[in-house]
Amino acid sequence: MSTGAESAGRVRRWLRLGLASLAAEMLLLGLPASAASAWFFDWFPFGRGWIAATGPYHEHVIADLGYAYVGLGAVLVWAAVRPGRELGRAAAAGAAVANVPHLIFHLRHAGDLPTGEAAAENALLALAVVVSVGVLLSAGKLSPTGE
């Protein structure tokens, strides 16, 4: 039988992993989108052009999205380094607020890509939603002091 401290330790490890994976998602999207928006628009992911398939390029929109993702990524990194109840919940909620409508948009526009590409894109987006919600729920299991 596990003690409360062991249980809190498992939850904290899950939070670190989940928050770090969400931070990686945001930073892997945000850094290139903000620093090289035209390249990101045409290239992402790995030369497949998923973003370019959705409509015309607009530097301001792509760069601003990148800045927002970098900002959220910074909060997620902070939460992964110091996982606690309130910061973990806030960071995960921010990721969920970004990821859920992103997934809904792409589900509604799945015809913009070939079927296999759309399935891969939507599976990755759905995974981000599941991790976001899982981290949000798990963070609530910690006591307010993080124990």
Side-chain angles (χ1 to χ4, degrees):
M1 193 144 100
S2 67
T3 66
E6 290 171 342
S7 179
R10 278 195 303 277
V11 169
R12 188 170 285 103
R13 283 189 296 278
W14 157 246
L15 286 176
R16 282 186 196 275
L17 177 63
L19 290 163
S21 67
L22 292 169
E25 170 206 5
M26 295 300 166
L27 294 172
L28 288 171
L29 293 170
L31 290 170
S34 60
S37 59
W39 173 82
F40 179 76
F41 179 83
D42 291 331
W43 178 84
F44 185 81
F46 309 109
R48 307 208 59 91
W50 288 359
I51 300 167
T54 64
Y57 171 71
H58 192 287
E59 180 182 13
H60 182 198
V61 173
I62 299 295
D64 277 359
L65 175 68
Y67 304 139
Y69 274 27
V70 169
L72 181 52
V75 174
L76 287 158
V77 166
W78 184 359
V81 170
R82 298 195 43 94
R85 180 179 175 165
E86 297 309 316
L87 179 57
R89 289 170 77 182
V97 167
N99 285 322
V100 169
H102 191 185
L103 172 60
I104 291 169
F105 176 88
H106 285 284
L107 288 171
R108 291 180 57 223
H109 295 89
D112 294 343
L113 293 171
T115 302
E117 297 282 325
E121 178 183 58
N122 290 326
L124 289 170
L125 292 170
L127 177 62
V129 168
V130 168
V131 172
S132 299
V133 172
V135 170
L136 180 60
L137 296 173
S138 294
K141 293 180 180 180
L142 291 176
S143 73
T145 61
E147 300 301 320

